[in-house]
Amino acid sequence: MATITAHEPKGKHQSKKATASGWIGSALEYYDFFIYATAAALIFPQIFFPKGDPQIAIIASLATYGVGYVARPIGAVLLGHWGDTHGRKTVLILCMFLMGFSTIAVGLLPTYDQVGLWAPALLVVLRLIQGFAVAGEISGASSMILEHAPFGRRGFFASFTLQGVQAGQIMAAAVFLPLAHYMDKDAFNAWGWRIPFLLSFIVIVAGYIIRKEVEETPAFAEVEKSAAVPKAPVIQAVTESWRDMLRVLLCSLMNVIPVVATIFGAAYAVQPGYGINFEKDIYLWIPVMGNILAVIVIPFVGNLSDKVGRRLPIIVGALGSGLLSFGYLYAISIHNVPLAIVMSLLMWGVVYQGYNAVFPSFYPEMFPTRTRVSGMAISQNIGTAITALLPALFVAVAPPGAANIPLVVGAITLAICAIAAVSAWTARETYRVHMNDLGKPEAVPVDKPEYDRLREQTLVDARLAKAAA
């Protein structure tokens, strides 16, 4: 026990409360972010852009989706600075308010027929605000949960950040299902699509109530008390940890899988220009079911990473999901709904979670407490910004009427996943390094037998506390 005392921050660890706050906050905030993604693929080409060439409208709509990711590096710099100087709790509340109000505003926008080019221009501005806001969410929530988690269980608890993100995507797609299925098509295109955006008012109220209850993390409190909070965490992160920031950036290219599954896949399946003609309500069930399975799988993979390390699940998840992208796109191309569902469940719901469940612990563990939010936020958001431009690229290289669309898009996807896998392989293994030693090049991991003993003691203590409650 002396080992833990010497290398773990003292203070009150609110593991469960921090995890619940991170989960619910991420779910609500990513609900906002992904209802835009769904609408950009299914609705916006028809109502916010000039009538005419359907390929141009699809590219323009998906480009506005990518614009949100372009804003994320800017948000990461400013919000990362805030999170490392003012604490994890305050930055998460700020992110939530920015996201909520910008999403409500999208639901109030006039269409192209009403105001002409002002419609797509305003849409781009609001998407920029969304991207700015979401830039601090995963890094802030992951850091908060990680720093509240007990040694030996950081991977398990931090994985709930991404379980919340997946749940937000389920809500984003699910809220469109009854509207798309039961509403008249003209009514849905005229005003029904606005309902999910206006519901974000509930997100703001619920998220604030939940997040204000969590105390600042013991690790950040110790840094703050010792006056070690940096005045320029962004500069310090770049100068001290640029190699790990580069690794995180390259690993974050794995965002190509959700791009293929939920953005390009949606446009490929339902937009008239491609001629596949999946029904919108049927196609919406594909990412919903994949994400439901992901919600189940994520904590098991997070727990596995506490046993075998972070790198192996990420590498397997990257290469496996990249290979499965070929089958998923092929199933759409032959209009085989059951096969598309099966491939989605395998690619998105199971194999991709090797990466998705583990990066919320793997990334922040690369950085010391004083620059953790900045280091993770900046590098991750630059990586995802790159991949978010891929839907428009995919449509450009595999436009409506092109041959071998699954092969072309699948090959690009697999190549990107291979880059992420190699980057993870070059990283240090961090799961057996104590909290106060994270980010130090000279840090020595706890010996595996001793780590297993300490982890088992943590599990026993948790069971005893639960029984006494």
Side-chain angles (χ1 to χ4, degrees), residues 57-71:
I58 296 170
I59 291 175
S61 180
L62 294 181
T64 67
Y65 166 78
V67 161
Y69 284 87
V70 172

Side-chain angles (χ1 to χ4, degrees), residues 28-45 47-48 61 64-65 96-110 122-124 126-127 130 171-176 179 188-205:
L28 295 176
E29 192 157 341
Y30 271 80
Y31 162 81
D32 281 354
F33 197 68
F34 282 104
I35 58 173
Y36 186 103
T38 303
L42 304 181
I43 308 298
F44 289 173
I47 64 173
F48 281 117
S61 180
T64 67
Y65 166 78
M96 182 192 61
F97 277 117
L98 287 171
M99 175 64 75
F101 285 118
S102 60
T103 303
I104 292 171
V106 172
L108 299 173
L109 278 182
L122 291 170
L123 189 66
V124 168
L126 293 174
R127 185 58 175 175
Q130 276 195 328
M171 293 189 293
V175 77
F176 275 99
L179 298 174
F188 177 69
N189 288 341
W191 59 270
W193 67 269
R194 299 178 185 273
I195 295 174
F197 289 87
L198 299 178
L199 288 175
S200 292
F201 177 75
I202 300 174
V203 171
I204 298 173
V205 175

Side-chain angles (χ1 to χ4, degrees), residues 125-159:
V125 170
L126 293 174
R127 185 58 175 175
L128 285 169
I129 297 173
Q130 276 195 328
F132 181 92
V134 83
E137 173 61 36
I138 291 182
S139 56
S142 297
S143 296
M144 181 181 70
I145 295 174
L146 189 88
E147 292 170 5
H148 271 297
F151 182 61
R153 303 218 71 198
R154 295 192 304 242
F156 172 74
F157 281 107
S159 71

Side-chain angles (χ1 to χ4, degrees), residues 8-16 18 146-150 218-219 435:
E8 292 290 314
K10 302 175 180 63
K12 184 179 181 182
H13 286 71
Q14 297 177 300
S15 301
K16 293 183 179 179
L146 189 88
E147 292 170 5
H148 271 297
M435 176 63 66

